[in-house]
């Protein structure tokens, strides 16, 4: 009967016999990624695909997109924000007032019922 350690050694030997020559080298090469020369070649090829005015157009587009909004648009946004906040405050206040009225009416109904019971007992 084989020990567990012997069984593992046999399994490792069989598995390593199934691998092709150079397997470990290929795995290490893939794990490290491409060499610097490969990256340089890719960059050179990519830069050859771009038109000469590409960088200028990108910078011009980025500057146009980063323009500061006008004073009137900032004021309009501030006014809209203030209006939304005011509407929210009014709605919350109205809801709270309605809940307070309902609670007070319920309390008064209880007081009236207690008073009627008291009058009925006398």
């Amino acid at each position: 009967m084989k020990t567990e350690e012997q069984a593992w050694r046999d399994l490792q030997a069989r598995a390593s016999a199934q691998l092709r020559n150079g397997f470990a080298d290929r795995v290490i090469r893939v794990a490290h990624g491409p060499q610097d020369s490969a990256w340089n070649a890719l960059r050179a090829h990519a830069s050859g695909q771009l038109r000469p005015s590409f960088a200028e157009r990108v910078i011009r587009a980025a500057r146009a997109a980063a323009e500061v909004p006008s004073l009137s648009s900032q004021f309009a946004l501030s006014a809209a924000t203030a209006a939304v906040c005011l509407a929210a405050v009014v709605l919350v206040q109205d809801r709270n007032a309605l809940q307070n009225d309902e609670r007070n009416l319920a309390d008064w109904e209880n007081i009236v019922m207690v008073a009627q019971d008291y009058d009925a007992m006398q």
Side-chain angles (χ1 to χ4, degrees):
M1 180 161 187
K2 290 183 181 179
T3 64
E4 184 178 351
E5 188 174 319
Q6 181 61 38
W8 276 112
R9 272 193 241 125
D10 291 346
L11 182 62
Q12 287 173 343
R14 179 154 170 79
S16 64
Q18 301 294 320
L19 297 174
R20 290 184 289 176
N21 290 338
F23 174 78
D25 291 334
R26 287 192 312 273
V27 169
I28 290 174
R29 204 174 317 122
V30 169
H32 284 122
Q35 300 291 327
D36 289 338
S37 60
W39 282 114
N40 290 336
L42 285 172
R43 285 188 193 104
H45 178 71
S47 65
Q49 302 296 315
L50 298 175
R51 290 185 287 184
S53 62
F54 175 75
E56 293 173 23
R57 287 184 287 126
V58 168
I59 290 175
R60 221 178 299 124
R63 285 182 181 155
E67 287 183 11
V68 177
S70 67
L71 184 61
S72 61
S73 66
Q74 289 180 1
F75 179 73
L77 179 63
S78 298
T81 303
V84 168
C85 290
L86 181 63
V89 167
V90 168
L91 288 174
V92 168
Q93 178 62 29
D94 186 48
R95 182 174 157 263
N96 287 342
L98 183 62
Q99 285 178 344
N100 285 337
D101 288 346
E102 289 174 357
R103 192 176 317 115
N104 290 339
L105 284 174
D107 289 344
W108 277 108
E109 285 176 359
N110 286 339
I111 291 172
V112 167
M113 287 191 323
V114 168
Q116 287 174 349
D117 288 344
Y118 182 72
D119 286 342
M121 287 177 24
Q122 289 187 356

